Amino acid sequence: MSNFEQFHLDFYQSNYTIDDQEEGYNSYGPNENLRGSRKSQTGDPPPTSAFAPSEMLLSSQSYTGQILQPTYCPNTHLGYADGFDEEPPLLEELGINFEHIWQKTLTVLNPMKPADGSIMNETDLTGPMVFCLALGATLLLAGKVHFSYVYGMSAIGCLAMHALLNLMSIPGVSHGCVASVLGYCLLPMVILSSSAVVFSLQGIPGTLLALFIIGWCSLSASKIFTSALAMEGQQLLIAYPCALLYGLFALLTVF
């Protein structure tokens, strides 16, 4: 037995003896003895605040709200309001400017008025789309379903004029600018198709009116192109292909 006790003491290497266990058992009971033995081996646990960061403790102490009911912060709401006020209008984000549309329309309606090249350089397709739809709608009222012809000839005419203007001008021109100018100058053709709803254009008066509208459209388009591309002295050269293009629309309207 002496050898076993010596091995037992050498193995654990602690100051805890059986006599101390018996005294703890007699004074505190088995449960208290077990608790006391664990405390003597492991020591007292450190407080929770020793491992928690100071920011978490400060935030937990300063929070006065309730669960699922956060406190109201007025600065956040004001920040969102200022952000919404600084956003541009929706029409401006879409590139729709009614003032420029009205100026371009007045320029087309008055062929003798000088054109502003800076405004005509903008690729605004809102007016051309509206005028193409108006031309197709007036032709439909006259009993002619020509929407596909209107859009098809418009696309082919824009491509042909773009190639021609790039050959004739030094700075060149974009597809959007060509489509915008030709589309806005389609407005007099809408007047011709509207008159076709009231009376027939297949006669001498109708032919003269169609020729007048073709000259009006081609003159307005050539004036705008020469002003936007700085092509002085070449207005007649540009007016000729424009007259051919608008002559096709006049044929759709008359016949």
Side-chain angles (χ1 to χ4, degrees):
M1 292 296 291
S2 62
N3 294 330
F4 178 75
E5 291 177 358
Q6 183 66 28
F7 173 76
H8 179 73
L9 293 175
D10 294 338
F11 181 76
Y12 286 99
Q13 294 293 329
S14 64
N15 296 327
Y16 184 77
T17 59
I18 300 176
D19 296 335
D20 296 335
Q21 181 180 4
E22 290 178 355
E23 289 179 3
Y25 183 82
N26 294 330
S27 59
Y28 299 104
N31 295 331
E32 295 294 336
N33 183 22
L34 181 60
R35 244 185 246 115
S37 63
R38 289 180 178 174
K39 288 183 179 179
S40 62
Q41 293 178 3
T42 59
D44 295 334
T48 309
S49 61
F51 296 97
S54 58
E55 293 81 357
M56 185 181 298
L57 295 176
L58 291 175
S59 62
S60 62
Q61 293 175 1
S62 62
Y63 181 75
T64 57
Q66 299 179 1
I67 299 176
L68 300 180
Q69 293 182 1
T71 55
Y72 173 72
C73 183
N75 295 329
T76 304
H77 177 70
L78 292 177
Y80 281 111
D82 294 340
F84 290 140
D85 292 338
E86 293 177 357
E87 290 184 357
L90 180 60
L91 293 179
E92 185 176 349
E93 290 183 354
L94 295 176
I96 300 174
N97 193 335
F98 288 105
E99 183 179 359
H100 288 181
I101 293 173
W102 178 247
Q103 291 179 2
K104 292 178 183 179
T105 304
L106 291 179
T107 304
V108 172
L109 292 177
N110 187 7
M112 302 302 172
K113 179 182 177 181
D116 189 0
S118 61
I119 295 178
M120 292 303 169
N121 278 328
E122 297 180 359
T123 58
D124 175 27
L125 298 179
T126 305
M129 290 297 296
V130 172
F131 295 152
C132 286
L133 288 174
L135 179 60
T138 51
L139 289 176
L140 183 62
L141 292 176
K144 303 173 184 178
V145 185
H146 292 329
F147 283 98
S148 59
Y149 291 103
V150 171
Y151 287 111
M153 287 191 302
S154 299
I156 296 174
C158 289
L159 293 176
M161 285 299 299
H162 175 264
L164 180 62
L165 290 175
N166 281 330
L167 293 175
M168 296 177 63
S169 63
I170 297 175
V173 65
S174 62
H175 291 89
C177 181
V178 174
S180 179
V181 173
L182 293 179
Y184 272 103
C185 294
L186 197 64
L187 178 60
M189 198 61 60
V190 177
I191 300 175
L192 179 65
S193 61
S194 299
S195 61
V197 179
V198 181
F199 56 89
S200 178
L201 297 177
Q202 296 181 4
I204 296 177
T207 303
L208 294 177
L209 181 60
L211 292 176
F212 174 74
I213 294 296
I214 293 171
W216 187 357
C217 294
S218 59
L219 182 62
S220 298
S222 60
K223 176 192 66 174
I224 295 172
F225 281 129
T226 54
S227 177
L229 301 176
M231 300 173 63
E232 300 296 334
Q234 302 182 19
Q235 184 174 0
L236 293 178
L237 295 177
I238 300 174
Y240 176 70
C242 291
L244 295 178
L245 175 62
Y246 291 113
L248 296 177
F249 290 105
L251 291 176
L252 285 179
T253 304
V254 174
F255 301 102

